[in-house]
Amino acid sequence: MTMNKEGGGGYKAKGVGTLEELMLNADMSVANLLFTLLPTTRYDAVLPSVLTVFQKYRLDNRLVLWTIENEVDEENTKATTLFRGHTVASKLVSLYLQRRGQNYLKKVLTGYITKIAQIPHALEIDPVKQPNKKQRTTNIKLLKEALQELFDIIINSVDKFPSALKNVFYFSQCKVMDRFPTMGLQIIGGFFFLRFVCPALVSPGSFGIQVDVGADSRRSLILISKVLQNLSNDVLFGDKEKWMTEYNPWITGNQVKMQDFLRQLCIVPPRSSFFAITQKPEYVVTDQQQLEALENIAKFFNESRKELMLRMTATDVTLSSLLLCLDQKNYYQPAQMNADKLSQTHQNAHMTSQMNRASRAFTDIPTLSRGDLGVKTAGQWDVQIQPSKTLPRELRTSLKMGQSRKQLRQTRNKIKQIEMIAAMEQQQQLQQQQQQQ
């Protein structure tokens, strides 16, 4: 796969390329198109594949930040519903946390869940389900002790929390507070507890925690999760669940500790470890998994071909490239299969050899606004376009000189058209050579 570095802290596929290259394009146009067409009923089937494609090259962080920014900036977004609904951003955040934070959860929760699983009965406090008043009083006390134990374990584990996830939390807090100044920590609490810790407590097997949890133990963990979520949201129990009001004093007494913990989750580590997002991830994507993910995405695009054709315009190079990839079933080529092509075209090195330098994108000065790109990218990671030396001289010169946004878009369109034509010609030549052989 051949890449050309461009805005958004990522790498732009050069020429027609593969479906993988189009998905990883820094302007996120194909990803944006996919998310626009994707119905909510298909989120569970398709979004894990999208995350896999980006995670193969450790660009999953950029994808998640981009979707977070999109949801916060959405015109109809309200503070009360932000990341609470079934949206692309909320689903991808949950998947990202699960994959990147699995080892953290194992270290922090395995021992605790094992201890709860050893209790011979549920710590039930609902009078309907536990009519025995004496047993209910005992359970209230035991559940409170279990709550405090878990809360202490969690707040003392902040140093173990992955740097990549702290980076996402920091970015999310900044973006949310720009628009909703009082919502910053509530969003972090929702990410950490609602979408990360509490699901792992209720369904530990889904997060790689190998503990046999029975029905009684699961009920105890559900009750513990309820209280933790209310604490993270700074909300007391009311008339809806009166039997849970027993824990309102506990929530009030731990609010300060919770707020301090959520702030610590947003503290970016020292610069020496800030770019931990480029380190080897816990969830490593194999070539076979990458191909299967791309085939799943291609399946959805093929099912949506009618909608794609309706969006087609004469100058839409990206959509033309996408349709060509789908027609030719040109989804993915492992690095070793692209070696000859890379050397022949003298293009930039393969993504996997460049990701060690990905952190440089975070320190470059932005030169393009999101409006220049047509769709939003992770704004503060937009970097200066590096004109390809294979482009016509007048186009290279125009990129280096100051231009209006309209002129810049026109120039970029010319570049895309030239590169697409060149790539198609080269592909035809390669096919002819293969046929001759």
Side-chain angles (χ1 to χ4, degrees), residues 406-419:
K406 182 177 180 181
Q407 290 172 327
L408 183 57
R409 283 195 295 269
Q410 291 173 346
T411 300
R412 288 164 57 81
N413 287 335
K414 289 181 182 179
I415 292 172
K416 287 182 179 180
Q417 291 172 5
I418 291 171
E419 292 183 337

Side-chain angles (χ1 to χ4, degrees), residues 225-236:
S225 298
K226 279 178 173 286
V227 183
L228 283 178
Q229 286 184 27
N230 274 34
L231 175 59
S232 67
N233 292 327
D234 198 10
V235 175
L236 299 177

Side-chain angles (χ1 to χ4, degrees), residues 66-78:
W66 177 74
T67 57
I68 288 172
E69 185 176 28
N70 281 353
E71 178 155 338
V72 174
D73 291 343
E74 179 66 36
E75 185 177 353
N76 297 326
T77 297
K78 298 179 181 179

Side-chain angles (χ1 to χ4, degrees), residues 13 131 165 181 187-188 195 212 216 231-232 261 266 280 290 304 313 323 328 330 343 346 357 379:
L165 302 187
I187 294 301
I188 303 307
R195 301 195 175 278
D212 186 15
D216 287 344
L231 175 59
S232 67
F261 171 69
C266 299
K280 186 176 181 180
Q290 185 77 339
S304 308
T313 63
L323 291 171
Q328 297 180 349
N330 186 16
S343 61
H346 303 285
R357 300 195 296 275

Side-chain angles (χ1 to χ4, degrees), residues 112 143-153 155 250 254 257:
Y112 178 80
L143 190 64
K144 188 176 296 184
E145 292 174 354
L147 264 170
Q148 191 63 54
E149 180 182 353
L150 177 59
F151 185 54
D152 290 341
I153 290 172
I155 63 177
W250 185 88
N254 285 286
K257 287 184 178 180

